Each structure stands twice: as C-alpha cells, then as structure tokens.
Amino acid sequence: MKSQITIHDYPCGSGKTNGLYNSFNSESSYIVVVPYLSEIERLLRACTHLNFVQPTIDLEAGLETKTESLIEQVREGKNIVCTHSIYPRLSQLADDGLLENYEIVIDEVPDCVSTVCEKSPYSVKEIYISAGFISVDETGRVHPTEKWLNNHNAAADTLNPVLFQQAKSGGLYLLNNSLFINCLPLNILSKCKKVTVLTYMSQGSYFTYYLKFSGFEYEVNESRKQNIFFKEEAKRLITLKPMNALRGLNLSNTGQAKSLARPSDYNRVSSCLKNLRSRDLKGVDQEKILITSKKDAWYENTSNRSRAGKFAKNSKLFNARWIANKTRGTNDFADCSHLIYLYDQHPNPYITRWLGADNKCFSKHYALTELIQWVWRSRIRKKEDITLYLPSERMYEIFSSWLYSEE
C-alpha cells in the first residue's frame, strides 16, 4: 500500500510552512522534517500545543545517539520534529509498522538521491559481489547478504561501513558497476499514513523523478496567481548583473575543481572579486554580502574556516557570508542585500540517466530551481531589494529568461 503523497509547490516566502503548521490538529500524529536546527526551534515555538519533541542524546536514559532517541520517540507515539539528515533512519520502523499512524511532513524536497562513493569495477565485482557480501538486483539496488550482515564489524576495515548501513536500510544502488548512490528508503513513503512535501518548482528536483521511477503516484498543488505575483515582485526587487571579467570561465563543480589547479584561473576569480569589492560593493558591509562557490575554493580547510581558499585569497571578500550553493529553507541570511553566485549548476549525469531525467529541459529546471532557492535566502524574503551577480553566462541566461518571460 502506498501512502498519499502531496507536494505543496508554492513560491518562496509565500507562507506555506506557517500555513501547514496552523493546520495541524491534536487528532493526528506528525513527523516533521526540516533542513536546519534553527527550523526545529521555529516549529517548537509555533506548535506548543502539540508537544513536539526532537531527537536528543540522553545518556541517563540510555539513548547514546539521536537515532536511538528518534526510535524511542516513535515507539512512544510522540509528535516529532527532526532534520533531513536523520529521518532516513526511520526505515526499520516503517518495516515494523510503526509509521502507519504518522503523517510525515517534509519542509523542502528531500535529498532523495546522492552519490556515496565510486570504486573500480574490479573492486566491486571481486571484493563485494564475488566474495559474497552483496547482491545487486535488476534495478541496481544493492542487498547485503547474510555473510555481510553477520560479519560487518569484522570486515569494516575493508568493506565500507557506510555502504553497509545504507544497503541495510534499503536505499543503496549501484550504477555503471562502479558508482554507489544512496536513495531515500521507499518504505518510509509507502508505510506511513500520509506524506506532505513543501517546496517550490518541484519539476526541477530529483524527487519527482524518483517518485515516478519508483512507481509512486503523487499530487502537486500550485497556484498560477501566486507564481505570477512572485515573478512580478522579483522583477521589481532584483537588479541582475553579469561579471564580464569571468566570462568563459567554467564554474561547474568540475570546472571549479580544475580551476583550483590553475593559478591563472583562481587569480582571475580573486582579482574580479577584489575589483567588485572596490567598486560596486564599496562601503557595503560584508555581513550583507552573500556568496557561494565550491567550498574548498573559498576555504583552505573546509572543516576550519579560518583561512581563505584560492578564490577568496586577496579578494577582500573573505568575510562575506559564504553558504553552500544548494542551501534551502533557512531565514538565517535574510539581511543580505548583495549576492554573488559563483556557480554553474548542473545535475549529476549518472543520476539523471538512471532516473530518466537526462534532458536539457530538466537540466535548466534544476539549475533555475537551485538558484531561486539560494537567492531567496536573502532579504528579498522581506520584500527588500537585492543585487544579484551571475558570472556564469548559462546561469544568467536561464535566470533572466525566467524572470522576464511572460509565462
């Protein structure tokens, strides 16, 4: 039995999250999934009457991990709010029938398909398959054998423990005999009472293709009137500018990685940013400047952000507010007025081929969706004007075509 899946596809800042929270009632049980810890606090403040809890380590109660806490809270039938990173661990509870009375609400489309690691076809065949640790069915789904289930601790120094946990949860797939990808376990969607997803431009997400690929039916609720108003307001509030000094530079994830090995490229980026800072952005507080790029291009050490990476060094913008290019669902940057998007956004070609989404139309939708989500982290959420710098010619064309089209 498949649960009812509904996607509320309404513009950023239209109040869809608050509207849904206001619709909650004491007769139902909820698991709400949000992108960030700050959004957990938002729900706890909005729904005090429903006694929501969040997974918490409690050593005195014998709960050594948030996963153990989550499992205990589900068994007790509590209303729960958690982050995207933890809710795939509900898979075993779904199989045990413990989600049947729950409505699952997911704020922003889930990261339903992501790459885990790539290994040589030889290693996959000889170490994982021929040695009897996994089997792979016709869909590419990876199943752990009894041998791996019984010996995963002993084999952890050779066989990836992360792959074991993901295969055990039912979400691991093998593509091209070498690339392991992790998917949202389908039993979470099929063995609960109802699933509601809040997002915007769902046609640019992997999620809808993943649902189709998996044979799930879903309903999309949207408003043409709201979409028209959203775009008209965007035209009024956004000043769109190119960065001609970076014209022709490949700013895809792969392109940026190559640029980090070429002094002529990364010096070109930092020099362009330096000039921008001394001209257009002169006098603008760096706390009001939002920027994205490949993380290791902006920070020398991604786990310690104290030293500038090659794009940021000598740019005079290192103290700007860097966020990941796929940031969604947070209001933490709603005071930023000047935005620099150092990215040319593309979907993963292995994943799109697997999902049947390898076409130019989806690629454009994907790029536009991610850019809009990123831009609406800024103060445009508060109906205040912003300036958006797009050095990628492709991203500039995609965004301006959407912004100024009549549809």
Side-chain angles (χ1 to χ4, degrees):
M1 183 184 69
K2 291 181 172 61
S3 58
Q4 178 184 348
I5 300 176
T6 304
I7 299 174
H8 292 323
D9 193 323
Y10 298 113
C12 305
S14 62
K16 55 182 177 289
T17 301
N18 285 334
L20 188 68
Y21 290 174
N22 290 334
S23 73
F24 287 170
N25 64 80
S26 59
E27 303 301 316
S28 299
S29 298
Y30 302 96
I31 296 175
V32 180
V33 185
V34 297
Y36 304 102
L37 291 173
S38 59
E39 295 303 301
I40 288 181
E41 297 301 322
R42 176 184 174 187
L43 178 138
L44 293 176
R45 290 192 300 269
C47 301
T48 55
H49 60 295
L50 294 176
N51 300 315
F52 271 88
V53 296
Q54 60 178 307
T56 307
I57 295 172
D58 186 346
L59 298 179
E60 291 185 3
L63 303 174
E64 298 183 358
T65 67
K66 289 186 177 181
T67 299
E68 292 176 353
S69 176
L70 176 66
I71 291 171
E72 184 67 19
Q73 290 166 353
V74 170
R75 292 188 185 280
E76 293 175 355
K78 294 183 176 180
N79 289 328
I80 301 164
V81 57
C82 64
T83 60
H84 280 236
S85 62
I86 194 172
Y87 85 102
R89 300 169 199 177
L90 294 168
S91 178
Q92 185 57 55
L93 297 176
D95 282 340
D96 293 341
L98 295 176
L99 300 185
E100 290 180 356
N101 295 322
Y102 273 104
E103 296 185 23
I104 296 180
V105 178
I106 307 174
D107 194 357
E108 293 304 336
V109 285
D111 190 10
C112 58
V113 185
S114 58
T115 58
V116 182
C117 64
E118 188 168 12
K119 296 185 177 294
S120 71
Y122 177 85
S123 293
V124 172
K125 181 181 178 182
E126 298 298 326
I127 298 175
Y128 283 86
I129 299 177
S130 297
F133 288 101
I134 67 171
S135 63
V136 183
D137 66 24
E138 65 278 2
T139 69
R141 182 175 168 184
V142 176
H143 302 269
T145 63
E146 287 296 322
K147 182 177 180 179
W148 203 7
L149 289 170
N150 294 331
N151 298 283
H152 64 276
N153 287 328
D157 61 340
T158 302
L159 303 179
N160 190 327
V162 173
L163 292 179
F164 172 75
Q165 292 298 332
Q166 292 170 342
K168 187 179 176 183
S169 73
L172 188 66
Y173 288 79
L174 178 66
L175 305 187
N176 205 33
N177 298 314
S178 60
L179 181 67
F180 287 100
I181 64 170
N182 186 45
C183 300
L184 176 66
L186 294 169
N187 59 356
I188 296 176
L189 303 179
S190 64
K191 296 185 177 182
C192 63
K193 185 177 180 180
K194 181 180 178 181
V195 178
T196 302
V197 179
L198 311 180
T199 191
Y200 183 50
M201 290 191 169
S202 58
Q203 71 270 31
S205 71
Y206 291 143
F207 185 61
T208 53
Y209 276 88
Y210 183 55
L211 293 177
K212 294 173 188 175
F213 174 85
S214 305
F216 279 75
E217 295 182 358
Y218 62 92
E219 176 184 353
V220 179
N221 294 332
E222 55 188 337
S223 167
R224 185 172 184 272
K225 182 179 180 180
Q226 284 193 24
N227 288 336
I228 292 173
F229 178 79
F230 179 72
K231 191 188 292 188
E232 288 300 319
E233 189 170 63
K235 290 178 188 176
R236 177 173 61 84
L237 294 175
I238 298 174
T239 298
L240 184 61
K241 292 189 175 184
M243 296 173 68
N244 292 327
L246 297 183
R247 191 177 183 86
L249 186 66
N250 187 345
L251 289 171
S252 68
N253 192 68
T254 301
Q256 290 185 63
K258 292 179 179 178
S259 290
L260 293 178
R262 293 194 288 256
S264 58
D265 283 358
Y266 62 73
N267 286 333
R268 182 180 169 191
V269 173
S270 62
S271 177
C272 175
L273 294 175
K274 181 181 178 180
N275 290 334
L276 187 66
R277 175 60 175 159
S278 63
R279 296 170 186 169
D280 284 29
L281 301 180
K282 185 177 181 179
V284 178
D285 186 345
Q286 290 203 45
E287 283 291 309
K288 301 293 181 69
I289 301 172
L290 197 64
I291 192 166
T292 194
S293 67
K294 199 168 181 291
K295 191 173 184 180
D296 59 354
W298 199 252
Y299 297 109
E300 185 176 82
N301 185 333
T302 56
S303 61
N304 180 354
R305 300 185 177 189
S306 62
R307 299 186 63 177
K310 292 177 178 177
F311 283 7
K313 191 175 182 180
N314 300 321
S315 70
K316 294 188 176 182
L317 281 173
F318 179 58
N319 291 321
R321 303 178 74 178
W322 183 95
I323 60 172
N325 71 92
K326 298 185 76 172
T327 301
R328 289 170 172 256
T330 178
N331 297 323
D332 292 348
F333 308 96
D335 58 343
C336 291
S337 58
H338 292 73
L339 289 64
I340 306 169
Y341 195 82
L342 290 172
Y343 241 99
D344 182 9
Q345 190 71 258
H346 292 269
N348 185 303
Y350 291 105
I351 292 176
T352 54
R353 281 196 293 271
W354 183 64
L355 292 176
D358 53 336
N359 56 74
K360 291 183 179 180
C361 183
F362 175 72
S363 181
K364 287 184 178 181
H365 281 312
Y366 179 89
L368 178 61
T369 298
E370 295 298 342
L371 177 55
I372 286 176
Q373 288 287 346
W374 187 88
V375 168
W376 261 261
R377 299 312 104 209
S378 71
R379 75 179 192 181
I380 195 172
R381 298 181 66 82
K382 301 187 295 184
K383 319 302 181 188
E384 297 178 17
D385 64 293
I386 63 168
T387 302
L388 173 61
Y389 296 90
L390 290 175
S392 163
E393 297 164 67
R394 173 176 172 268
M395 296 300 291
Y396 189 97
E397 170 61 26
I398 289 172
F399 189 77
S400 60
S401 292
W402 168 77
L403 189 63
Y404 298 114
S405 69
E406 294 301 319
E407 296 181 3

